[in-house]
Amino acid sequence: MLTVKSVHAYYGGIHALKGVSLHVAEGEIVTLVGANGAGKTTMVRVICGLLKPSKGSIVFEGHNLLSLSTEKIIELGIGLVPEGREIFSTLSVETNLEMGAFLKRKDRAFVETMKELMFSRFPVLKKKRKQRAGTMSGGEQQMLAIARALMSQPRFLILDEPSLGLAPLIVKEIFSIIEELRAEGKTILLIEQNAKAALKIADRGYVFETGKVVLEGIGGELLEHREVQRAYLGRGTTKIWEA
Amino acid sequence: MESRRGKISKVNWQRILMAIFLIFVLSFGLIWSERGTDAKDKEPYKIGAIFSVTGVGSFLGEPEKKTALMIVEEVNKKGGINGHPVELIVYDDESDTTKAALAAKRLIKKDMVSVIVGPTRSGESLAVVPIAEEAKIPLISCAASYKIVTPVSERRWIFKTAQSDQHAVEQMYEFMRNKGIRKVGILSDSTGFGASGREELLRYAPHYGIEIVADERYGPKDTDLTAQFTKIRSLKPDAIINWSIGPTQILAVQTWRNLGMTDIPLFQSHGFGSRKNLEILGQAAEGVLLPISPVIIGKLLPNDHPQKKVTVEYANAYETLYKEPVSAFGGYAWDAVQLALSAFKAVGNDPAKIRDYLEGLKNFVGQSGVFNFSPDDHNGLTKKDLIMVEVRNGDWVLAK
Amino acid sequence: MSIMEEFLQYLISGITVGMIYVLVALGYNIIYNVTEVINFAQGEFVMLGGLCAVFYYESLHLPLWVAFFMSIGTVGVIGLIFEKFAIRYARSQSVLTLIIVTIAFSIILKGSAMFIWGKDPYSLPAFSAGSPWMVAGAAVQRQSLWIMGISLVIISGLSIFFHNSFYGKAMCACADNPIAAKMMGIPVRRMILLSFTLSAALGAAGGVIITPLSLMEYDRGALLGLKGFSVAVLGGLGNFWGALMAGIFIGIGESFCAGYISSGYKDAVALVALLIVLFVRPEGLLGKTK
Amino acid sequence: MNRKNLPGFLVFLVCIGLFPVFATRISAIQHYLDVMIFGGIFGIVAIGLSLLMGYAGQISLAHAAFMGIGAYSSGILTTHFNFSPVPALFLGLLITAIIAFSVGVPSLRLKGHYLAMATLGFGVIVHIIFSEEVNWTGGPSGLVGIPGFGLGDWKLKSTLQWYYFVWLWVAVSILIALNLVNSRIGRAFRAIHEDEKAAEAMGVPTARYKVQIFVVSAAMAAFAGSLYAHYVEFINPGSFDLVWSIRFILMVMVGGIQSIWGSLLGSLFLTFLSNEWLQVFAELEILIYGIILFIISLFFPDGLFPVIFRFLAQQLERRYE
Amino acid sequence: MNEASEIPILEIRELGKSFGGVEALHDITFSVPSGVIQSIIGPNGAGKTTLLNCVSGIIKPSHGKIYFLGKPIENLPPHRIATLGISRTFQHVALFKRMTVIENVAIGRHSKTRSGFLACTLRLSSMRREERDIFTKAEEWLEFVGLSDEMWKEAGSLPLGKQKLLEVARALAAEPRLLLLDEPAGGLNTSETEQFGDLIERIRNLGITILLIEHDMNLVMEKSDYVVVLHYGKLLATGTPREIKRNPQVIEVYLGKEE
């Protein structure tokens, strides 16, 4: 579905991606894990066209994404839950959802159905539909961000750090939602720091370190891999875990 | 340490400044070598002019510039004055005092004119006065304020051709006295013109037994005068006087009419005397009264009026050439330039002689009136040189 | 004329003037709603609106209402060009540059207007002819009613557009979080373009409807722009109904100042109000709750 | 004066000193001395504004108003209270400093557009006061009868004296500005311009410094205003309106927003441009001004002259190598 | 100067900060002994940078106390705190990009110098002396971090690694008692990070206490004397690196909970 080939990108003078290649097949959950600053979010920005890579190619269902603007890329059926949620904080919860369906705005009935669907999936949003989105708690905002991305019925969903800064209970909830989405047949690219949780539900995973993919493989296998632990707690620490 | 810091400056200032200095010196050398090449057979008589061709005062300065150019061209066509061609150098002060001052300096030092005509407006004229005084070059201003020529002891080189606001005020008040008008409300704008008119209106009211019941002001860019007119109406005056310049004098008439106040006669300043105003206002201006410069109503003047001939001639020439009606301001420039020309004819181009000639000049028939200068009066006009008119059917008629 | 009648007359003229300021303020609000840029050339759009209408009506002899819409369209296109060829590039520069670019543009508009129309004031006929209505002794000019009516229609329209229509809400989303808006597939650039076009067109509408009442000439823009900005800030940037309230408040304040205190200081009313708001609660104005 | 700036400053002094020697001998450019006097007066304002805008990064659309406050203080004190010009000038500076301080403290808490609008509003209010307080300011018709500059019996008379007098003060302004810029305080200004938060974290009291430079810059404008009033011997509100504030910004922008020499060159360039070289354009001048400002701000936001000089310097260096 | 002195250099007591209802810091209490390297770790969004901003005065805490050498500082403006002897670097490099490298360091000495407006405009001899001192010291600090060769370059033109070093030099120029480093190794490659580790030790050897936020666990674990772990605005654990590595709660936070 999505193929990324040896992409190089610079972000604020930093060589953030140093020849990254990865692919996502239809119906898969693929996760990108790695420490802060490893280049995961840069990867997302490059896929969405917010950052143009200096080298490499990105193809989504036969469309070359490098030549498309963000709007056009989204139109291909990609939904995005950005890092840090990035909700429209001064607008109401309902308006936030509507904005998610901006590309389908001509079909009012569709927007209304989707809205109701989201309200039934996330009851908390229904309760606060008229509230300014910025006044909600972090977990609720994350729900809103996911719901907003789902409004346009994307076939391919990118979740960037959905558990960031959330309480463990809510993280659990978020992950169960992701599993539900997979059951519905959506293709998902999940970017996570919470490696254990992410690799557990993922079909495959890529481990990023300083702008490179250092490891790739089946989710469960990677979880056991020492390299993953190293990527998170540093080289020296592995010894301690062994001890 | 210091020298190393020098390395980082991207621009080598020292070198550049040296280069500039060199260019400087060289260019002066060039100009120097060009000197002395401008010897001519018959030295032209030079008139400098400063008009507000652009900026807020442009509707005054433009007809002035056109008039001055027209006159000088005519004179030169006829062979100049005493065989000397006349050269007119016009600078635009853009209605800005600094520019007016610099234009005057340039006229005096670079162009070496014998006499300066203008500036158009009072503010610029006042800025140029000390310069002309210091350089001892006669200045014939086209602006209204009496401050330009008073006190004459400190304004020996300064003359002006526009009727003073005082004349317009006195003529207006005399007309009112004859009509039995006792109480007036006045409106003025916050420009130099409005402020000066207001001063004179307040000053002369007691002389004519007139009581000022309202004294309202507004800005030159105001979009609505309803409040001021309402206030005046509440004070029940016998007449309203509006003293302003630019769009607000049109706005005043519109407001007066729209508020249904036409039972109280509206007097405007002599600045309203432009046909463009009548065109914009159409029917709304019916009944407005104002003192007007003879130049505009040349055709209405009785045949025995001394100014009949010059005003009609000027109006014909100007209107044929520029396809637009004459204005009082063009008349001021006509007077100023003709005064300068008559001085050239009589005494040549020595500034001091021109000054003395002008100061002694009597019965000079101009567009704005008949000038009688004296060592105490550098304007030479009286209130008789303005004529009260009324707007009837979109045209001026003599007011009775 | 009784004190009450006088009071009423000030009130009416204040509201009329206030409405004009509101129309200018709306222009600031629209652009602010989408980009958070403040356009110093806003007042010049008003001036251009009036003068373009004069051109279409007087020189091309089009009917007044056609001239009205043509003028709005013309100025809207100017706003569009301004955004597309200047603001778009300046936005990446410092705020200082952005301010100076808009000031420069206002000078260009003013200079061009002077070049094209000269310095004379121009007038348009009132939208409906007739003598003023007398309401309890105070005169209400017919054009004043037009001004109030059109302003109210525009404010309601804008309010509905920004709060109820999909496209309008998307425009607000662009100001709130442009990156997220992009990620939702909202064409942010086009929205910004639209906001400039709309605000220029609105300014022009204001210009056309006030010309019959107060004439229009090339250098009218700056002061109107400044007062419109004061109104926009007083009403809360981006808030349409706030602008309406503030506009009426300032208009009446000016009218009363002219009537009861000093007509010369009338222009200071809006500016003093602006400074007080900026000085006393800048956080309240600038701090966006995110 | 540190050693880096010394040669430039000396060349400047020589140029300024020698200019009249040429100018007075050539009738075609004799009046350039007068243009230079105005250019110098505006240059002082521009240098002050460059300190504020280019170095400390704060915009002001009120500098013409500050110049006006200086001019009117001098004018009113000398005409209404019979002050001699020198004490009037210093009292004017004090008045301006107090006003600038009280406006600066609340204004400089604002940023960007809001600061611009606040200073703009203040400038317009000052202009209204100049026009309205007729008894003191002479109102829109202007204030006449301001004496020339002098102390006791000694008076500045000829253009030449004025020229040297004004340019002496321009030199002093440059000296002060260059010294300030090349000091810990000047570096702190630039730090504020680039990153206020980081500057604060380095121990720079940003709020205080911004107000201080605002006051200094306003006082320089007021000083220039005072010189202007005594030189022209007449002032009216039209010389201190918004158009002039924009002109001063343009001078700084043309010359290079972060350059003391540049602002002076910019003010000279524009004064000559509008009084000498652009006379042919008359009607179009304002339009040309607008276009110049537009192009500079869009394409050379750091100023026009620095770009040109950098280019020239590169060419020179290439030639030498 | 290596041993910790009696009073802690920095003491934080029940510090809390909330942004519009969201609690970023919740009753944090810990102290930093003099002369140590202490690290703050925790996942993204744990409130580390907020804590650092509170200490340096850039944001005001909602409640709680911060003592620097026994003096409360939570209500002081940042420039006063800097003058007292706390310097910092920023997560996203906050250099004065258009100024030269040495000028950046010179600004770091702002709080150590006194020349006022008058002295500066008149270039009094005291000011000139101070100016010489500023630049001598600035050069020394540049040499200390190894940037002597870049002195005359524009700060913005340096590669990120050198920018990070420059930020440290600028902070050191103020001769602080306490140095706050916010993710100094972020975006650096492995060898650069190792160099940075050496630098941090050299700074500590000068007697300067260091409070470090860092994601690179090697760096944290190798260099720190003490580690503080934050999680969702709460203090999760404090201790020596050894203790922290064995702490099951910390492991859970970093690798996720085992179900």
Side-chain angles (χ1 to χ4, degrees):
Chain A
M1 202 171 195
L2 176 79
T3 315
V4 175
K5 267 203 194 115
S6 51
V7 161
H8 286 260
Y10 289 83
Y11 187 57
I14 307 171
H15 195 174
L17 291 179
K18 302 165 185 165
V20 174
S21 298
L22 54 87
H23 67 96
V24 183
E26 185 127 26
E28 269 191 317
I29 293 188
V30 171
T31 182
L32 311 183
V33 297
N36 239 35
K40 296 168 302 182
T41 296
T42 310
M43 193 64 240
V44 174
R45 296 179 71 89
V46 168
I47 294 173
C48 298
L50 288 169
L51 183 70
K52 289 292 166 200
S54 57
K55 258 190 273 178
S57 78
I58 306 174
V59 177
F60 179 77
E61 295 189 320
H63 301 273
N64 177 11
L65 296 192
L66 295 190
S67 59
L68 296 179
S69 65
T70 304
E71 295 106 66
K72 294 281 173 241
I73 291 172
I74 300 296
E75 254 186 284
L76 295 175
I78 297 179
L80 183 65
V81 181
E83 185 192 15
R85 307 186 275 274
E86 302 279 353
I87 53 157
F88 303 113
S89 52
T90 57
L91 306 182
S92 74
V93 169
E94 198 170 352
T95 311
N96 264 276
L97 288 180
E98 285 170 7
M99 288 306 110
F102 180 80
L103 294 166
K104 303 256 167 83
R105 64 186 178 282
K106 301 237 165 63
D107 188 352
R108 292 302 302 210
F110 171 83
V111 176
E112 287 308 312
T113 336
M114 284 311 291
K115 220 154 62 179
E116 286 314 313
L117 203 66
M118 290 307 137
F119 283 149
S120 60
R121 170 171 257 157
F122 305 97
V124 61
L125 299 183
K126 184 167 191 175
K127 215 165 64 197
K128 301 192 169 177
R129 63 196 290 178
K130 295 285 172 212
Q131 205 172 314
R132 274 163 65 120
T135 59
M136 299 199 302
S137 76
E140 289 163 347
Q141 291 188 10
Q142 190 64 58
M143 306 281 180
L144 177 59
I146 295 174
R148 186 180 63 177
L150 292 173
M151 280 294 287
S152 60
Q153 269 194 331
R155 280 165 299 127
F156 184 72
L157 191 63
I158 302 174
L159 294 129
D160 194 353
E161 307 267 15
S163 71
L164 190 77
L166 297 181
L169 210 65
I170 298 171
V171 174
K172 227 169 164 182
E173 209 179 322
I174 302 261
F175 275 96
S176 74
I177 292 169
I178 295 171
E179 281 188 313
E180 279 172 40
L181 292 173
R182 191 248 298 268
E184 284 168 24
K186 292 214 186 300
T187 312
I188 293 171
L189 181 63
L190 173 67
I191 286 89
E192 258 300 340
Q193 278 207 337
N194 194 334
K196 274 189 184 165
L199 289 171
K200 237 169 132 185
I201 63 165
D203 298 310
R204 290 187 303 113
Y206 293 88
V207 179
F208 274 62
E209 202 185 316
T210 53
K212 281 183 218 139
V213 174
V214 293
L215 211 62
E216 61 172 292
I218 310 295
E221 286 175 14
L222 276 181
L223 194 53
E224 301 306 316
H225 204 286
R226 202 168 287 164
E227 194 73 9
V228 178
Q229 300 187 341
R230 189 188 69 84
Y232 281 90
L233 285 173
R235 268 166 303 257
T237 55
T238 39
K239 272 179 255 149
I240 295 160
W241 255 278
E242 278 169 317
Chain B
M1 167 87 236
E2 300 261 297
S3 63
R4 257 157 92 199
R5 214 180 315 164
K7 272 186 214 156
I8 54 140
S9 69
K10 289 205 195 97
V11 182
N12 192 330
W13 281 105
Q14 211 171 320
R15 212 175 272 171
I16 286 162
L17 283 164
M18 284 298 179
I20 291 174
F21 181 61
L22 267 176
I23 295 166
F24 216 57
V25 173
L26 284 175
S27 58
F28 282 125
L30 281 175
I31 296 169
W32 200 303
S33 63
E34 273 177 21
R35 282 183 79 215
T37 55
D38 54 5
K40 286 238 175 80
D41 305 331
K42 193 97 177 185
E43 176 201 12
Y45 287 158
K46 285 182 174 177
I47 303 178
I50 306 168
F51 296 130
S52 301
V53 186
T54 56
V56 275
S58 56
F59 58 98
L60 313 163
E62 234 172 52
E64 290 177 350
K65 182 182 169 186
K66 286 175 175 169
T67 302
L69 290 172
M70 181 180 87
I71 296 172
V72 171
E73 197 181 332
E74 237 166 66
V75 167
N76 283 333
K77 239 184 249 167
K78 289 179 189 156
I81 303 248
N82 304 339
H84 294 267
V86 177
E87 194 183 332
L88 177 73
I89 301 141
V90 185
Y91 291 127
D92 176 13
D93 65 25
E94 296 172 43
S95 317
D96 178 310
T97 45
T98 309
K99 293 220 160 124
L102 276 174
K105 299 260 187 186
R106 188 164 54 233
L107 286 172
I108 292 165
K109 293 185 179 171
K110 178 188 168 201
D111 305 316
M112 300 202 243
V113 298
S114 317
V115 54
I116 297 175
V117 170
T120 302
R121 303 197 310 160
S122 302
E124 284 75 49
S125 297
L126 286 167
V128 170
V129 162
I131 298 167
E133 280 289 315
E134 193 204 307
K136 301 204 191 318
I137 297 286
L139 177 84
I140 312 173
S141 165
C142 297
S145 174
Y146 73 98
K147 287 183 195 160
I148 297 166
V149 287
T150 35
V152 176
S153 57
E154 292 170 20
R155 303 277 197 270
R156 294 192 59 241
W157 296 81
I158 316 298
F159 301 86
K160 80 181 183 86
T161 56
Q163 299 92 350
S164 289
D165 299 331
Q166 168 200 345
H167 302 139
V169 166
E170 286 194 84
Q171 185 69 339
M172 201 186 265
Y173 278 163
E174 192 170 279
F175 183 83
M176 286 180 173
R177 187 166 60 185
N178 297 340
K179 287 275 169 192
I181 291 170
R182 291 266 162 273
K183 282 158 66 183
V184 299
I186 61 173
L187 288 142
S188 58
D189 70 1
S190 59
T191 63
F193 183 78
S196 154
R198 174 174 169 267
E199 264 174 50
E200 302 296 318
L201 283 169
L202 295 175
R203 191 201 332 234
Y204 284 98
H207 299 297
Y208 290 85
I210 281 169
E211 183 197 349
I212 302 222
V213 293
D215 173 16
E216 290 302 302
R217 310 186 65 204
Y218 51 82
K221 294 282 154 228
D222 273 14
T223 51
D224 186 277
L225 303 178
T226 317
Q228 289 86 347
F229 270 89
T230 306
K231 187 170 177 188
I232 287 189
R233 176 161 64 176
S234 72
L235 297 165
K236 300 192 172 54
D238 300 330
I240 301 168
I241 303 172
N242 177 58
W243 208 282
S244 69
I245 206 148
T248 45
Q249 51 186 350
I250 293 166
L251 200 56
V253 176
Q254 282 183 343
T255 314
W256 171 69
R257 180 147 305 268
N258 284 334
L259 291 181
M261 291 167 67
T262 43
D263 50 324
I264 311 169
L266 174 66
F267 287 77
Q268 290 265 33
S269 74
H270 52 308
F272 188 69
S274 158
R275 197 161 286 274
K276 275 182 188 164
N277 291 334
L278 296 189
E279 279 166 19
I280 293 173
L281 279 165
Q283 280 298 305
E286 286 297 293
V288 171
L289 291 148
L290 66 148
I292 203 165
S293 183
V295 57
I296 297 168
I297 49 156
K299 290 191 188 88
L300 299 180
L301 293 175
N303 281 333
D304 57 345
H305 194 282
Q307 288 176 266
K308 178 82 181 178
K309 186 167 169 277
V310 289
T311 49
V312 171
E313 272 176 9
Y314 165 56
N316 285 342
Y318 187 91
E319 285 165 11
T320 332
L321 185 59
Y322 294 116
K323 311 275 180 289
E324 64 179 30
V326 282
S327 65
F329 319 113
Y332 303 150
W334 191 96
D335 294 343
V337 176
Q338 294 290 5
L339 281 170
L341 292 178
S342 96
F344 284 153
K345 196 163 198 169
V347 297
N349 68 349
D350 177 51
K353 283 188 189 149
I354 293 173
R355 191 208 85 86
D356 296 340
Y357 169 82
L358 288 176
E359 194 165 72
L361 190 62
K362 303 281 181 217
N363 285 320
F364 178 86
V365 181
Q367 300 294 337
S368 318
V370 179
F371 292 87
N372 288 295
F373 293 108
S374 73
D376 307 317
D377 182 4
H378 277 196
N379 184 4
L381 295 175
T382 66
K383 64 183 174 190
K384 293 279 175 296
D385 292 308
L386 280 160
I387 296 158
M388 285 303 294
V389 293
E390 190 176 349
V391 181
R392 283 267 167 262
N393 300 320
D395 205 348
W396 320 108
V397 298
L398 297 177
K400 291 177 190 89
Chain C
M1 193 173 193
S2 75
I3 292 173
M4 260 327 282
E5 285 169 356
E6 201 184 316
F7 182 83
L8 202 64
Q9 187 72 62
Y10 293 147
L11 206 63
I12 290 167
S13 95
I15 294 173
T16 312
V17 174
M19 282 297 184
I20 298 170
Y21 299 157
V22 173
L23 281 177
V24 186
L26 292 180
Y28 287 106
N29 279 339
I30 293 171
I31 294 183
Y32 184 85
N33 257 350
V34 184
T35 66
E36 309 199 345
V37 169
I38 289 166
N39 178 14
F40 280 70
Q42 190 63 37
E44 311 301 332
F45 291 144
V46 180
M47 175 272 293
L48 275 183
L51 290 180
C52 282
V54 169
F55 170 74
Y56 290 127
Y57 179 78
E58 297 267 332
S59 308
L60 300 185
H61 306 290
L62 295 171
L64 194 55
W65 66 272
V66 178
F68 178 75
F69 287 107
M70 291 273 288
S71 155
I72 290 174
T74 313
V75 179
V77 170
I78 293 173
L80 184 143
I81 292 171
F82 177 48
E83 201 285 328
K84 200 168 169 82
F85 294 102
I87 293 290
R88 186 164 293 180
Y89 304 102
R91 263 160 63 82
S92 55
Q93 306 275 2
S94 67
V95 180
L96 191 70
T97 308
L98 200 53
I99 292 170
I100 292 168
V101 167
T102 60
I103 289 178
F105 189 63
S106 78
I107 298 176
I108 292 177
L109 288 184
K110 191 164 132 182
S112 316
M114 185 183 84
F115 188 60
I116 298 168
W117 283 282
K119 286 132 260 166
D120 294 322
Y122 290 90
S123 183
L124 280 175
F127 288 13
S128 55
S131 54
W133 278 299
M134 300 306 286
V135 180
V140 186
Q141 303 199 29
R142 288 173 188 237
Q143 191 64 23
S144 297
L145 292 179
W146 275 105
I147 292 178
M148 289 181 211
I150 292 177
S151 309
L152 281 177
V153 168
I154 290 177
I155 294 170
S156 315
L158 282 178
S159 193
I160 292 170
F161 176 69
F162 275 105
H163 297 126
N164 298 67
S165 87
F166 219 108
Y167 221 78
K169 283 191 256 186
M171 282 176 90
C172 292
C174 292
D176 184 299
N177 192 333
I179 292 189
K182 259 190 179 173
M183 291 171 171
M184 296 303 116
I186 299 173
V188 177
R189 278 188 167 189
R190 208 189 312 153
M191 292 296 185
I192 293 172
L193 199 62
L194 181 65
S195 75
F196 270 83
T197 314
L198 204 58
S199 90
L202 262 188
V208 185
I209 62 176
I210 66 171
T211 304
L213 202 62
S214 60
L215 312 178
M216 190 56 72
E217 76 277 357
Y218 81 104
D219 60 350
R220 192 51 85 62
L223 197 60
L224 275 176
L226 192 54
K227 291 201 179 154
F229 179 77
S230 309
V231 167
V233 168
L234 197 62
L237 270 171
N239 185 339
F240 298 114
W241 295 105
L244 179 66
M245 294 298 141
I248 292 175
F249 177 73
I250 297 242
I252 294 175
E254 284 193 352
S255 171
F256 282 172
C257 178
Y260 295 119
I261 306 167
S262 147
S263 22
Y265 276 108
K266 176 180 71 67
D267 283 338
V269 172
L271 302 171
V272 170
L274 170 71
L275 289 190
I276 289 173
V277 176
L278 284 179
F279 289 173
V280 173
R281 45 182 291 261
E283 318 82 25
L285 286 166
L286 310 178
K288 267 192 71 146
T289 41
K290 279 225 169 168
Chain D
M1 176 95 342
N2 71 17
R3 251 179 273 164
K4 182 183 86 179
N5 293 315
L6 198 59
F9 192 70
L10 289 179
V11 172
F12 161 77
L13 286 183
V14 171
C15 280
I16 290 308
L18 288 182
F19 180 75
V21 179
F22 296 103
T24 49
R25 281 177 171 74
I26 306 167
S27 67
I29 60 159
Q30 218 182 48
H31 65 287
Y32 273 25
L33 277 187
D34 300 288
V35 185
M36 287 286 282
I37 292 173
F38 281 109
I41 290 174
F42 299 146
I44 295 175
V45 185
I47 291 166
L49 192 58
S50 167
L51 286 177
L52 181 70
M53 251 173 54
Y55 287 89
Q58 311 298 314
I59 196 170
S60 163
L61 281 163
H63 261 55
F66 286 124
M67 188 180 171
I69 293 173
Y72 271 99
S73 303
S74 278
I76 292 171
L77 288 171
T78 47
T79 54
H80 289 276
F81 299 99
N82 289 322
F83 267 60
S84 143
V86 176
L89 184 143
F90 282 107
L91 200 53
L93 283 189
L94 189 68
I95 293 168
T96 313
I98 291 168
I99 294 175
F101 180 78
S102 26
V103 174
V105 168
S107 297
L108 291 161
R109 297 202 325 246
L110 304 168
K111 290 197 169 47
H113 290 109
Y114 298 91
L115 177 62
M117 277 295 186
T119 52
L120 172 59
F122 168 75
V124 176
I125 291 174
V126 169
H127 187 254
I128 293 174
I129 294 173
F130 290 158
S131 303
E132 286 307 310
E133 291 305 313
V134 179
N135 293 337
W136 294 107
T137 63
S141 358
L143 188 59
V144 284
I146 303 168
F149 201 81
L151 186 62
D153 288 336
W154 176 79
K155 286 252 183 295
L156 280 175
K157 276 196 272 325
S158 68
T159 307
L160 199 62
Q161 285 175 3
W162 263 106
Y163 170 86
Y164 280 119
F165 181 69
V166 166
W167 280 88
L168 171 77
W169 287 108
V170 174
V172 169
S173 307
I174 285 197
L175 206 63
I176 288 175
L178 284 179
N179 281 346
L180 199 58
V181 168
N182 290 299
S183 73
R184 66 187 280 270
I185 293 180
R187 284 189 297 272
F189 287 150
R190 286 160 67 196
I192 292 171
H193 188 175
E194 294 216 19
D195 191 330
E196 214 167 294
K197 209 190 272 177
E200 183 83 11
M202 292 303 118
V204 177
T206 52
R208 175 146 52 93
Y209 273 18
K210 283 197 283 184
V211 173
Q212 276 178 355
I213 190 63
F214 190 70
V215 170
V216 167
S217 175
M220 284 172 80
F223 184 83
S226 188
L227 290 184
Y228 179 92
H230 288 297
Y231 177 59
V232 182
E233 301 183 6
F234 167 81
I235 45 176
N236 67 358
S239 307
F240 311 109
D241 60 5
L242 177 62
V243 175
W244 275 99
S245 284
I246 295 174
R247 273 187 200 159
F248 291 133
I249 289 183
L250 185 56
M251 288 171 187
V252 176
M253 291 286 292
V254 167
I257 182 157
Q258 205 176 86
S259 161
I260 300 297
W261 290 112
S263 339
L264 180 65
L265 281 177
S267 62
L268 276 182
F269 176 71
L270 283 183
T271 310
F272 271 94
L273 195 68
S274 76
N275 286 296
E276 287 293 317
W277 306 326
L278 269 192
Q279 276 285 323
V280 273
F281 294 109
E283 284 283 291
L284 288 176
E285 197 209 288
I286 177 174
L287 192 58
I288 290 169
Y289 252 54
I291 292 169
I292 294 176
L293 186 58
F294 194 66
I295 291 172
I296 291 174
S297 51
L298 262 187
F299 301 109
F300 312 105
D302 291 333
L304 188 59
F305 286 178
V307 177
I308 296 171
F309 284 154
R310 212 165 294 161
F311 177 77
L312 285 178
Q314 275 168 8
Q315 295 301 312
L316 272 177
E317 233 139 78
R318 209 164 291 163
R319 200 60 48 83
Y320 277 104
E321 275 157 14
Chain E
M1 277 290 276
N2 255 336
E3 78 264 33
S5 54
E6 299 293 309
I7 9 164
I9 191 157
L10 184 74
E11 195 180 353
I12 290 167
R13 261 194 232 150
E14 285 168 11
L15 192 75
K17 174 73 194 174
S18 49
F19 294 106
V22 181
E23 225 174 12
L25 289 178
H26 182 82
D27 286 346
I28 306 284
T29 302
F30 70 89
S31 60
V32 183
S34 199
V36 302
I37 296 175
Q38 182 155 339
S39 294
I40 305 177
I41 62 169
N44 262 7
K48 303 180 302 275
T49 296
T50 308
L51 179 65
L52 218 60
N53 284 343
C54 283
V55 173
S56 62
I58 285 172
I59 55 177
K60 295 277 155 262
S62 307
H63 58 84
K65 291 267 173 200
I66 304 170
Y67 295 97
F68 177 64
L69 293 168
K71 267 183 283 181
I73 58 164
E74 68 276 356
N75 286 322
L76 296 180
H79 65 90
R80 295 269 297 119
I81 293 176
T83 313
L84 286 176
I86 301 184
S87 264
R88 68 168 294 173
T89 66
F90 293 84
Q91 185 179 359
H92 305 287
V93 184
L95 287 170
F96 309 117
K97 292 202 170 60
R98 283 151 53 114
M99 298 171 76
T100 58
V101 167
I102 193 155
E103 279 174 322
N104 267 278
V105 185
I107 287 170
R109 286 204 64 75
H110 196 88
S111 58
K112 286 282 165 210
T113 43
R114 288 284 153 269
S115 302
F117 244 90
L118 206 61
C120 287
T121 48
L122 299 180
R123 256 189 120 69
L124 298 179
S125 63
S126 65
M127 177 268 178
R128 290 206 301 273
R129 210 176 312 123
E130 204 174 71
E131 195 78 348
R132 271 195 299 278
D133 164 76
I134 289 173
F135 280 92
T136 322
K137 287 269 171 40
E139 282 187 62
E140 282 169 23
W141 285 116
L142 281 174
E143 195 151 355
F144 182 79
V145 301
L147 283 178
S148 291
D149 295 340
E150 323 282 347
M151 213 178 286
W152 308 108
K153 287 188 182 151
E154 218 171 65
S157 69
L158 297 183
L160 183 79
K162 287 185 173 169
Q163 290 197 9
K164 294 250 175 190
L165 288 176
L166 175 54
E167 256 207 324
V168 174
R170 183 178 70 175
L172 285 173
E175 289 167 18
R177 305 285 303 271
L178 174 65
L179 179 63
L180 313 174
L181 300 173
D182 195 352
E183 294 196 28
L188 300 189
N189 62 32
T190 328
S191 71
E192 281 172 336
T193 306
E194 268 165 25
Q195 278 175 21
F196 219 102
D198 295 341
L199 178 64
I200 289 173
E201 262 184 13
R202 275 162 54 216
I203 295 170
R204 193 254 308 268
N205 292 342
L206 295 173
I208 297 169
T209 313
I210 292 171
L211 187 58
L212 171 74
I213 293 181
E214 189 44 68
H215 276 292
D216 189 307
M217 287 305 139
N218 292 322
L219 189 66
V220 168
M221 298 302 172
E222 275 170 26
K223 303 294 177 193
S224 309
D225 298 310
Y226 298 100
V227 177
V228 175
V229 186
L230 290 187
H231 190 54
Y232 300 122
K234 289 187 190 135
L235 193 73
L236 190 71
T238 51
T240 62
R242 267 187 98 75
E243 288 162 3
I244 293 297
K245 279 182 198 172
R246 291 165 188 278
N247 189 324
Q249 270 181 303
V250 177
I251 295 172
E252 186 201 313
V253 166
Y254 270 81
L255 280 177
K257 198 176 191 164
E258 207 83 49
E259 304 263 320

